[in-house]
Amino acid sequence: MVTRTVDLRSDTVTKPTESMRAAMANAEVDDDVLGYDPSALKLETEMAKIMGKEAALFVPSGTMGNLISVLVHCDIRGSEVILGNNSHIHIYENGGISTLGGVHPRPVMNNKDGTMDIDLIEASIRDPKGALVYPVTRLICLENSHANSGGKCLSVEYTDRVGELAKKHGLKLHIDGARIFNAAVALGVPVNRLVEAADSVSVCLSKGLGAPVGSVIVGSKTFIAKARIVRKTLGGGMRQVGLLCAAALVAVQENVGKLDDDHKKTKTLAEGLNQIKGLKVDSAAVETNILYVDILDGSKFTAETLYKNLEQHGVLVMIEGPLSIRIVLHHQISASDVQYSLSCFQQAFADENGN
């Protein structure tokens, strides 16, 4: 019988804290679609200030936030967006930019650190003279931190260079900042400086920050005014949304300061896992709260059988491939949870190795 659960599947699995629940219970609300919900306005004003942008808009999810942002920047069907071939928008968002917006993706290879080569980005920008036969490039998208690259952080210098390239060609820059606070903390850079070059940013509040629901998108007042219309079109107008915004504001106020500890615990777990015969973790590459674990050839375990073994002990992970699993930490994973999880991995492979 499992007496303990350590959920390492994602930082989306956090539970609302008591202070979040109290904020929800006491939230002052009105109709956000009509523009009068005071708790929503408070969150949006604060997030715009933190991110260094003119305005912000609360949305139900990061996927919707990215979709809205792309649709606003690429408001003519047949427009093209340059984005990473291993980016969340390209891989995990149901092709929404194409199916709902008629926006053509122009993927560029992501490097191991989540960047795209600047030269390759520039080479992918369509010549406007070919508009008769080519899609018109209107947008570049970055992702920071980059989830599929193991939570790697894109530097200020790199982001600025992409921003300069976008301006040179009259393009917009959007950052999928689902974990932008993780990146800012890991880099030791103020988050507003990290996204200074961006015309828009989507910021997830329900991942590392631990809010129960929601994201915000930030940008200019003109951008957000258009985004509000697209949000309504997509069914994202949620009336008394201040209940959720109140919890999200608590998450921002209380949990940004805990991200560095999340990163340290992730590093500790990565280093411990890398000592286990049969596993390989590039612990030196762990920068934030995400790590990937590879099962070496010759092991009796596959990702699925290891998953089931760990599940029997209450440790939950995410299968990423036949011999790969993903682990994500958050503020509700304690140092004790890390050591317990490590002991479960050690026991599984000790049994395999006959120790």
Side-chain angles (χ1 to χ4, degrees), residues 111-176:
N111 299 315
K112 289 184 178 181
D113 63 358
T115 63
M116 299 175 282
D117 288 344
I118 300 290
D119 291 345
L120 291 180
I121 296 175
E122 186 160 32
S124 298
I125 299 172
R126 305 286 189 176
D127 185 343
K129 296 177 182 178
L132 180 64
V133 291
Y134 297 141
V136 177
T137 308
R138 298 186 184 276
L139 178 65
I140 301 170
C141 289
L142 299 177
E143 181 181 334
N144 199 9
S145 65
H146 198 277
N148 274 0
S149 297
K152 293 290 195 307
C153 304
L154 276 58
S155 69
V156 169
E157 294 77 16
Y158 175 80
T159 305
D160 284 351
R161 287 183 64 198
V162 177
E164 291 166 3
L165 178 65
K167 288 181 180 179
K168 173 184 174 182
H169 292 275
L171 310 179
K172 298 297 185 180
L173 172 62
H174 172 70
I175 296 177
D176 175 0

Side-chain angles (χ1 to χ4, degrees), residues 30-79:
D30 202 317
D31 192 321
D32 182 53
V33 175
L34 299 180
Y36 291 105
D37 190 297
S39 295
L41 292 172
K42 185 176 181 180
L43 172 68
E44 290 164 352
T45 299
E46 182 65 15
M47 288 302 296
K49 179 181 178 181
I50 290 172
M51 304 302 292
K53 303 301 180 185
E54 290 182 345
L57 181 68
F58 183 82
V59 295
S61 69
T63 294
M64 184 181 282
N66 285 330
L67 177 60
I68 290 171
S69 299
V70 173
L71 297 190
V72 171
H73 291 309
C74 300
D75 56 353
I76 299 175
R77 293 183 69 86
S79 299

Side-chain angles (χ1 to χ4, degrees), residues 42 46 248-257:
K42 185 176 181 180
E46 182 65 15
L249 185 57
V250 171
V252 173
Q253 294 169 339
E254 293 187 352
N255 292 336
V256 171

Side-chain angles (χ1 to χ4, degrees), residues 183-190:
V185 168
L187 293 169
V189 176

Side-chain angles (χ1 to χ4, degrees), residues 10-334:
S10 179
D11 46 9
T12 61
V13 302
T14 53
K15 306 299 188 291
T17 62
E18 289 303 315
S19 55
M20 290 179 194
R21 294 178 186 274
M24 294 174 74
N26 296 310
E28 186 180 0
V29 299
D30 202 317
D31 192 321
D32 182 53
V33 175
L34 299 180
Y36 291 105
D37 190 297
S39 295
L41 292 172
K42 185 176 181 180
L43 172 68
E44 290 164 352
T45 299
E46 182 65 15
M47 288 302 296
K49 179 181 178 181
I50 290 172
M51 304 302 292
K53 303 301 180 185
E54 290 182 345
L57 181 68
F58 183 82
V59 295
S61 69
T63 294
M64 184 181 282
N66 285 330
L67 177 60
I68 290 171
S69 299
V70 173
L71 297 190
V72 171
H73 291 309
C74 300
D75 56 353
I76 299 175
R77 293 183 69 86
S79 299
E80 187 167 74
V81 54
I82 296 171
L83 75 179
N85 72 324
N86 209 16
S87 66
H88 196 280
I89 294 176
H90 189 53
I91 302 295
Y92 295 117
E93 298 184 5
N94 296 105
I97 62 172
S98 299
T99 57
L100 299 180
V103 179
H104 187 264
R106 174 86 153 168
V108 172
M109 184 182 71
N110 280 118
N111 299 315
K112 289 184 178 181
D113 63 358
T115 63
M116 299 175 282
D117 288 344
I118 300 290
D119 291 345
L120 291 180
I121 296 175
E122 186 160 32
S124 298
I125 299 172
R126 305 286 189 176
D127 185 343
K129 296 177 182 178
L132 180 64
V133 291
Y134 297 141
V136 177
T137 308
R138 298 186 184 276
L139 178 65
I140 301 170
C141 289
L142 299 177
E143 181 181 334
N144 199 9
S145 65
H146 198 277
N148 274 0
S149 297
K152 293 290 195 307
C153 304
L154 276 58
S155 69
V156 169
E157 294 77 16
Y158 175 80
T159 305
D160 284 351
R161 287 183 64 198
V162 177
E164 291 166 3
L165 178 65
K167 288 181 180 179
K168 173 184 174 182
H169 292 275
L171 310 179
K172 298 297 185 180
L173 172 62
H174 172 70
I175 296 177
D176 175 0
R179 296 182 176 91
I180 193 68
F181 282 102
N182 289 90
V185 168
L187 293 169
V189 176
V191 69
N192 63 312
R193 178 64 187 91
L194 189 54
V195 301
E196 187 176 294
D199 296 285
S200 61
V201 188
S202 62
V203 184
C204 188
L205 303 168
S206 62
K207 288 190 170 70
L209 300 187
V213 176
S215 291
V216 294
I217 49 178
V218 299
S220 68
K221 291 180 180 178
T222 300
F223 168 83
I224 291 299
K226 293 177 180 179
R228 188 176 293 275
I229 296 171
V230 178
R231 185 187 70 171
K232 185 67 169 71
T233 303
L234 296 174
M238 297 187 292
R239 305 301 179 182
Q240 287 74 36
V241 74
L243 293 173
L244 300 176
C245 292
L249 185 57
V250 171
V252 173
Q253 294 169 339
E254 293 187 352
N255 292 336
V256 171
K258 299 176 182 178
L259 295 176
D260 185 57
D261 190 48
D262 294 343
H263 300 167
K264 290 176 181 176
K265 288 180 290 189
T266 307
K267 190 79 168 180
T268 297
L269 182 56
E271 290 171 349
L273 290 172
N274 202 38
Q275 299 301 312
I276 298 175
K277 183 179 179 181
L279 294 179
K280 180 176 176 54
V281 180
D282 186 0
S283 55
V286 175
E287 296 180 2
T288 54
N289 64 325
I290 301 173
L291 67 91
Y292 286 90
V293 184
D294 293 325
I295 302 168
L296 299 179
D297 289 338
S299 171
K300 74 173 183 180
F301 285 116
T302 63
E304 184 175 359
T305 57
L306 180 57
Y307 170 90
K308 291 178 179 178
N309 180 289
L310 295 170
E311 186 180 34
Q312 292 175 0
H313 300 283
V315 177
L316 306 179
V317 298
M318 185 83 75
I319 297 173
E320 282 294 310
L323 294 173
S324 179
I325 62 174
R326 188 188 79 161
I327 290 173
V328 184
L329 275 70
H330 50 79
H331 75 100
Q332 291 175 337
I333 298 297
S334 67

